[in-house]
Amino acid sequence: MLTSLADLPLKKQAGERVTVLTAYDYPTARLLDEAGIDLLLVGDSLGMVVLGLPDTTGVTLDMMLHHTAAVRRGVKRVPVISDLPFHTYDTPDQALANARRLIQAGADAVKLEGGVPFIPQVRSIIQAGIPFVGHIGMLPQSVVEEGGYKKKGKTPAQAEQLIADALALDAAGACAIVLESMVPDVATEITRQVKATTIGIGAGSGTDAQVLVTPDLIGSFPWFRPPFAKARADVASEIQRAVKEWMTEVTAKTAS
Ligand code: KIV
């Protein structure tokens, strides 16, 4: 069980897998912390699974600050990573100013999407002493620009680019790198080459850590679940069952 991001390299050296889940609110954060999860991510996936937006591009910094603060109130031990949302890190100065706001709201580390082109932003965050997590592969904030969610690393050129991105983030000092929706062999190779902890999602089992969007794992967002995410509970049905049972009891009393 992790208590500090500083322990990530020890876990990697020992070959111990790390578990990461998303949280967006106080009760979920508290339950996951008490369950022993290693890391929590206040992901901008909150746009879809909490706020009903079509993708992550409508998520604002204010939304992330609000949810990061709620998650912070719920945790005693587990380190919290928060996402810098779309267009909040266009320049190194903007990235640093917004990363500082997420840290003030309660994050222990910040994450942004992108590789080589974003190294100036990454350096500005890390040089200010803020722990940083990279994110490469399929980038949800680029979904509109790219015309959909597409698996990465299928061609040799794409694989080379992903490895170059990962090495650049590693050299800049990222403590971890999310590898999203990429060919498993590429994710395994990146994991072998970098010092940072790789956190896979839809990238096979060869990464140092695995992350899931919690509503996918617990079945609380039944309208969409990515094929690689196995639901291990059916919270949506359980909510509806409890609600219907209570409605039946209330309406039966009204009638008598
Ligand atoms: O926003 C998010 O939940 C994420 C994960 C999918 C890694 O970035």
Side-chain angles (χ1 to χ4, degrees):
M1 217 188 294
L2 270 185
T3 51
S4 161
L5 289 163
D7 295 339
L8 281 173
L10 299 175
K11 286 264 202 184
K12 180 157 179 145
Q13 278 156 24
E16 285 173 27
R17 288 286 161 87
V18 172
T19 55
V20 190
L21 282 171
T22 64
Y24 317 100
D25 58 39
Y26 172 91
T28 310
R30 188 167 170 177
L31 287 168
L32 299 183
D33 189 14
E34 289 172 4
I37 197 77
D38 286 315
L39 293 174
L40 283 185
L41 169 65
V42 188
D44 59 0
S45 52
L46 83 86
M48 288 96 85
V49 297
V50 175
L51 303 175
L53 297 170
D55 54 58
T56 62
T57 62
V59 175
T60 63
L61 187 71
D62 280 346
M63 292 172 185
M64 292 305 302
L65 294 170
H66 179 81
H67 288 271
T68 297
V71 166
R72 170 51 58 193
R73 286 190 287 274
V75 305
K76 285 202 168 80
R77 166 198 56 84
V78 58
V80 174
I81 306 161
S82 281
D83 266 340
L84 279 162
F86 192 48
H87 283 311
T88 62
Y89 50 91
D90 292 343
T91 67
D93 285 351
Q94 189 196 20
L96 177 57
N98 290 331
R100 284 199 165 117
R101 292 188 67 193
L102 285 174
I103 297 291
Q104 277 158 11
D108 296 297
V110 302
K111 169 165 92 59
L112 66 74
E113 295 183 7
V116 171
F118 289 89
I119 292 302
Q121 282 86 329
V122 173
R123 285 215 186 96
S124 132
I125 292 170
I126 292 174
Q127 279 166 6
I130 296 174
F132 175 78
V133 176
H135 187 156
I136 59 174
M138 197 281 289
L139 303 178
Q141 291 175 13
S142 306
V143 64
V144 177
E145 202 180 307
E146 293 194 357
Y149 296 97
K150 295 180 181 143
K151 203 172 190 80
K152 295 296 162 74
K154 287 185 176 168
T155 65
Q158 270 188 12
E160 262 174 43
Q161 186 57 57
L162 288 170
I163 292 171
D165 286 335
L167 290 175
L169 290 167
D170 200 41
C175 63
I177 308 172
V178 171
L179 307 181
E180 179 159 3
S181 192
M182 69 173 68
V183 170
D185 283 352
V186 179
T188 305
E189 182 55 24
I190 290 173
T191 302
R192 202 183 61 74
Q193 290 198 30
V194 298
K195 291 190 298 296
T197 295
T198 58
I199 305 176
I201 176 161
S205 58
T207 52
D208 302 310
Q210 291 286 325
V211 60
L212 279 181
V213 169
T214 298
D216 295 339
L217 176 70
I218 65 172
S220 61
F221 192 84
W223 308 280
F224 173 77
R225 179 161 36 86
F228 57 80
K230 179 179 167 198
R232 290 170 195 265
D234 187 356
V235 166
S237 298
E238 188 55 14
I239 289 173
Q240 291 191 333
R241 185 204 56 74
V243 168
K244 284 178 186 163
E245 189 181 296
W246 177 77
M247 284 164 59
T248 304
E249 195 180 297
V250 169
T251 51
K253 278 187 187 145
T254 315
S256 60

